Amino acid sequence: MPESAPSRRIPRPLAALAGVASVVLGAGIGEAVAALVAPASSPFAAIGGGLIDAAPAWAKDAAIALFGTGDKVALLAGIAVVLLAVAAVAGLLEVARPPWGRVIFAAVGVAGAIVAATRPDAGLLAWIPSVIAAAVSASALWFLTGRLRPAETPGASDEDTSPGPSPAPDRRTFLAYSGGAVTIGILAAFVGAIRTSGTVAVDAIRSALRLPTPAVTAPPIPAGAELDLPGLARVITPNDAFYRIDTALVVPEIDPADWSLRIHGMVAREITLTWDELLALPLRESVTTLACVSNPVGGDLIGNARWLGYPIRELLARAEPSADADMVLSWSIDGFSASTPIEALTDERESILAVGMNGEPLPVEHGFPVRMVVPGLYGYVSATKWVTELEVTRFDRKQAYWSTRGWSERGPIKLQSRIDVPRREQGLRAGDTVIAGMAWQQHVGIAGVQVQIDDGPWQDAALAAAISDDTWVQWSFPWTADPGDHLIRCRAVSVTGDVQTADRAAVAPDGATGYHERFVQVFT
């Protein structure tokens, strides 16, 4: 009897379960192996990182629009769902047309190994976790599907065609093995995660770190800068509430003792700066608002913090850039790059290599040990986290990570404002209330905000005290709300006299525009 014939008696759900149990075991073992030999190249990290790098701009926009700062969790969940679906198909194929189920696992493993080995931060052993995951998955699939095939009757031969029911597979034994495979896989992944965090111990290093006293402290937050209204964003964003958008599926964990910055390219002299050398420099405090280019009109992918760092212009002056250079390409340890106009790093603005955020070392997910902070530019062209290189070059010679994906090369922040309160869900009652929000155009500054209610005239709101032109500012407008449905709009006016445009534009390729609108229902 042909090998595939008995498979017709195997229930499809059990065949699919064999595939799923096998891939859970293999993936878990792969994660554990990665923790030992290549923490940044676990099977999930390799596949996810490859998908992030290959994703077109519209896919990135869609992910951020749907999931916000949870886009990476959503990606990992999506990868898991797809992988389980592929595993189920592999299980069905393995019992129907062996060895095609194992071939699928091998192909996925080879693809993962290639992606892992070609990532910018790949080590010599980056390919190993994916290969081992594939090998374990294929072996487990062969074993489990073997438990599903009925045992041959003693004395039976291929020519035996006697009628009668075929022996059924031992489901209890199969389910026990499958359950064991899933359990071992989950435990291995958990142990791998524990091992990874315990090996590098960056959190412990960061917690023990004491930053030097700044040579220049930031001016105190002006009285009246914080309106202290419920629902209104705080002027200084707490570290744990600061938005995070980057391309790192696995957050790089860098021991400061191993960190260095190389300044090279079109310079008279190449410079390498170590962590100790950076901390020995006269560090400065500054308050700067950062914004993501993917922030939609009225969105929350923006935050303001007190940073501690050293002016990049001073380091570039030591390197003596060529007069022909017009761009600095900054590189992260994970391969991300940003194209910053050189004038933004050499003029009077507080463009810094930051080591501190709101009075403590940078959080790991926000770039520890060192990141860039540049007022006036969207983060994708300036705010490189885990920065290790500054390459002085030209826009017509080099392209950055997002420039190759259709985004603008320079990315100046656009004039924007938003309404924080009232919120649609707060159950607003008729009578006196307050409309309030935030406005920003970093390195330009805000001169005023205007509010429009139900297509009425534009009316001036009151601005809170501004920290500086490099930060956002709160605004408020008193409103006597009548019962019914109302449409509220806001627009900002810059220090240079520009008025926020009403023209609606998507975030790509250089930032969203348009008025923020909010519908509210007022009850009697």
Side-chain angles (χ1 to χ4, degrees):
M1 184 178 292
E3 185 180 5
S4 61
S7 66
R8 290 194 294 269
R9 297 189 295 270
I10 298 173
R12 289 186 175 183
L14 295 184
L17 175 59
V20 169
S22 299
V23 87
V24 171
L25 176 63
I29 296 296
E31 295 293 315
V33 171
L36 294 173
V37 301
S41 298
S42 71
F44 270 93
I47 295 172
L51 289 175
I52 290 175
D53 288 348
W58 64 263
K60 168 184 175 289
D61 298 340
I64 293 175
L66 286 172
F67 305 108
T69 55
D71 58 335
K72 294 175 183 61
V73 174
L75 175 61
L76 288 173
I79 292 172
V81 169
V82 172
L83 188 59
L84 292 176
V86 170
V89 172
L92 293 170
L93 280 176
E94 183 65 20
V95 297
R97 294 288 186 270
W100 283 107
R102 282 169 280 166
V103 169
I104 289 177
F105 283 163
V108 172
V110 169
I114 292 173
V115 171
T118 54
R119 295 278 294 162
D121 56 343
L124 293 177
L125 304 180
W127 57 275
I128 290 179
S130 292
V131 169
I132 290 181
V136 171
S137 296
S139 300
L141 184 62
W142 172 81
F143 178 82
L144 290 176
T145 53
R147 306 287 75 73
L148 284 174
R149 293 190 177 92
E152 292 186 359
T153 303
S157 66
D158 289 343
E159 290 76 22
D160 186 2
T161 57
S162 58
S166 300
D170 186 348
R171 297 191 183 192
R172 181 175 297 178
T173 300
F174 167 77
L175 292 175
Y177 280 126
S178 297
V182 170
T183 301
I184 293 172
I186 292 174
L187 288 175
F190 179 75
V191 170
I194 297 291
R195 174 82 181 182
T196 299
S197 60
T199 299
V200 183
V202 169
D203 282 336
I205 295 172
R206 177 184 172 275
S207 298
L209 184 64
R210 295 296 176 265
L211 295 175
T213 302
V216 178
T217 59
I221 304 301
E226 187 78 69
L227 296 180
D228 199 22
L229 294 173
L232 181 62
R234 296 173 60 180
V235 170
I236 299 295
T237 309
N239 289 357
D240 59 2
F242 209 94
Y243 78 96
R244 180 201 163 197
I245 297 291
D246 52 54
T247 62
L249 191 61
V250 176
V251 176
E253 295 184 326
I254 307 169
D255 186 335
D258 299 327
W259 177 88
S260 65
L261 177 78
R262 178 182 172 222
I263 302 176
H264 61 103
M266 299 173 63
V267 296
R269 59 179 58 85
E270 186 172 311
I271 293 175
T272 299
L273 185 73
T274 67
W275 171 255
D276 289 339
E277 289 170 338
L278 176 58
L279 291 195
L281 295 172
L283 303 183
R284 302 168 60 97
E285 273 190 336
S286 55
V287 182
T288 300
T289 297
L290 298 184
C292 180
V293 71
S294 296
N295 197 31
V297 172
D300 60 0
L301 299 181
I302 181 171
N304 187 47
R306 184 189 298 267
W307 307 94
L308 176 66
Y310 188 70
I312 297 173
R313 62 176 174 270
E314 302 293 343
L315 295 174
L316 290 177
R318 286 165 52 183
E320 297 184 21
S322 166
D324 293 334
D326 62 3
M327 184 256 277
V328 174
L329 192 65
S330 55
W331 290 90
S332 167
I333 196 171
D334 69 341
F336 172 81
S337 59
S339 56
T340 307
I342 197 167
E343 63 268 17
L345 301 178
T346 55
D347 62 17
E348 78 287 354
R349 78 186 76 189
E350 288 295 324
S351 298
I352 62 172
L353 289 177
V355 297
M357 181 178 182
N358 290 331
E360 62 182 67
L362 290 171
V364 175
E365 65 273 17
H366 289 295
F368 180 82
V370 184
R371 68 170 295 164
M372 290 174 61
V373 172
V374 180
L377 300 178
Y378 287 116
Y380 81 106
V381 295
S382 67
T384 303
K385 302 175 183 177
W386 314 290
V387 63
T388 58
E389 286 186 50
L390 299 180
E391 181 182 359
V392 179
T393 181
R394 291 184 53 83
F395 280 104
D396 58 9
R397 296 182 186 177
K398 294 291 182 72
Q399 286 186 299
Y401 184 95
W402 286 114
S403 302
T404 62
R405 291 159 173 80
W407 292 80
S408 169
E409 291 181 319
R410 298 174 183 267
I413 286 176
K414 295 182 176 179
L415 179 60
Q416 281 287 301
S417 59
R418 79 178 189 209
I419 302 164
D420 283 11
V421 292
R423 298 183 179 275
R424 183 180 305 178
E425 67 275 9
Q426 75 181 58
L428 189 63
R429 295 293 177 181
D432 292 339
T433 188
V434 176
I435 302 170
M438 314 295 289
W440 61 90
Q441 190 179 24
Q442 293 91 299
H443 202 57
V444 176
I446 299 298
V449 172
Q450 297 176 328
V451 176
Q452 183 186 56
I453 301 171
D454 297 331
D455 295 321
W458 287 99
Q459 304 176 72
D460 291 332
L463 282 185
I467 299 173
S468 75
D469 289 343
D470 289 336
T471 65
W472 62 5
V473 61
Q474 296 182 344
W475 58 267
S476 63
F477 179 80
W479 179 38
T480 301
D482 296 324
D485 295 333
H486 298 279
L487 174 62
I488 306 171
R489 294 188 181 96
C490 67
R491 69 183 184 188
V493 181
S494 74
V495 168
T496 56
D498 294 324
V499 179
Q500 182 179 336
T501 180
D503 296 337
R504 304 287 296 189
V507 295
D510 58 2
T513 63
Y515 296 155
H516 187 209
E517 300 178 340
R518 176 160 289 175
F519 288 94
V520 294
Q521 187 174 26
V522 180
F523 300 94
T524 56

